[in-house]
């Protein structure tokens, strides 16, 4: 009776629960889903839900935004965001409200509102100077990185083991560390000084987006 006397009913209640997708590998897509709930049995909620994604813990660097139109209670999922860097993406989802339902604003660091983006894992193939060559000839090794998230940076370290070191367990006789360019690297030259089979190892350092 009090509401009738005043001439207006109290606002219906509204709320959202959110769930971000992930984990994914860098280069794959992520989304955020908001479930809009509220006082049932009355008006149908309208308005919109806005999703914003940030690349930092304090949610100051925005990398993506998307808005979905609301036409009732239920789940609303953002458009897909294609990740461009390994790390964690933080989401904020907010409901605009309408004439019957109040606005609801998410906050940075809300539960379930982060998407973990893992580094990619490239492969490495190598091709050493095959020989046979004569003593005193220079040899080298070449590494090619496959897969991963381009552009790959970092370095490849080449380690060479001398004749008789079948398991590469003795002290290396040569090491060369080279920057990755266009997905590959070539070691420096080593001039042979003894007959036998020389064996190489190549190791990729990884970078901010690749293991």
């Amino acid at each position: 009776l009090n509401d009738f006397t005043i001439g207006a009913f109290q606002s219906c209640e509204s709320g959202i629960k959110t769930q971000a997708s992930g984990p994914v590998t860098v280069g794959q897509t992520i989304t955020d889903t908001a479930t809009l709930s509220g006082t049932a049995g009355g008006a149908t909620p309208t308005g919109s839900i806005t999703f914003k994604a940030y690349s930092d813990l304090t949610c100051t660097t925005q990398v993506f935004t998307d808005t979905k139109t609301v036409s009732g209670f239920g789940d609303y999922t953002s458009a897909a965001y294609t990740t461009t860097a390994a790390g964690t993406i933080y989401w904020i989802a907010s409901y605009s409200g309408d004439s019957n339902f109040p606005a609801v604003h998410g906050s940075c660091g809300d539960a379930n509102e982060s998407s973990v983006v893992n580094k990619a894992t490239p492969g490495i193939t190598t091709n050493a100077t095959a020989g046979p060559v004569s003593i005193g000839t220079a040899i080298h090794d070449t590494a090619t990185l496959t897969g991963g998230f381009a552009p790959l940076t970092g370095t490849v370290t080449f380690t060479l083991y001398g004749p008789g070191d079948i398991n590469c367990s003795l002290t290396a006789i040569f090491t060369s560390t080279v920057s990755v360019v266009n997905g590959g690297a070539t070691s420096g030259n080593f001039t042979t000084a003894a007959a036998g089979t020389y064996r190489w190892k190549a190791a990729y350092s990884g970078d901010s987006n690749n293991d």
Side-chain angles (χ1 to χ4, degrees):
L1 291 176
N2 180 58
D3 285 335
F4 280 104
T5 302
I6 294 173
F9 289 100
Q10 295 177 355
S11 298
C12 298
E13 294 181 353
S14 61
I16 55 175
K17 290 185 178 180
T18 51
Q19 180 64 62
S21 65
V24 298
T25 299
V26 60
Q28 295 179 334
T29 60
I30 53 176
T31 60
D32 192 20
T33 297
T35 301
L36 180 64
S37 60
T39 305
T44 298
T46 58
S48 62
I49 294 177
T50 298
F51 301 90
K52 295 181 179 180
Y54 301 84
S55 61
D56 60 294
L57 184 61
T58 57
C59 299
T60 55
T61 304
Q62 184 176 315
V63 295
F64 178 77
T65 186
D66 184 51
T67 299
K68 297 299 181 184
T69 299
V70 169
S71 57
F73 297 121
D75 294 342
Y76 294 87
T77 299
S78 72
Y81 167 63
T82 302
T83 56
T84 60
T88 301
I89 297 296
Y90 300 89
W91 294 89
I92 297 177
S94 300
Y95 170 52
S96 67
D98 61 16
S99 58
N100 293 307
F101 294 88
V104 181
H105 298 290
S107 299
C108 189
D110 282 347
N112 304 317
E113 281 291 82
S114 60
S115 298
V116 175
V117 183
N118 295 314
K119 290 184 177 184
T121 302
I124 185 170
T125 58
T126 53
N127 186 25
T129 302
V133 298
S134 300
I135 295 176
T137 300
I139 59 175
H140 65 269
D141 194 14
T142 298
T144 302
L145 299 172
T146 58
F149 185 77
L152 286 83
T153 57
T155 60
V156 175
T157 296
F158 299 90
T159 307
L160 179 63
Y161 298 85
D165 191 358
I166 297 175
N167 297 316
C168 302
S169 57
L170 302 178
T171 301
I173 61 174
F174 177 73
T175 300
S176 175
T177 298
V178 183
S179 296
V180 172
V181 178
N182 296 325
T186 299
S187 73
N189 288 321
F190 174 79
T191 301
T192 56
T197 300
Y198 293 77
R199 295 173 174 83
W200 294 89
K201 284 184 179 181
Y204 173 51
S205 67
D207 59 22
S208 60
N209 288 320
N210 294 280
D211 288 324

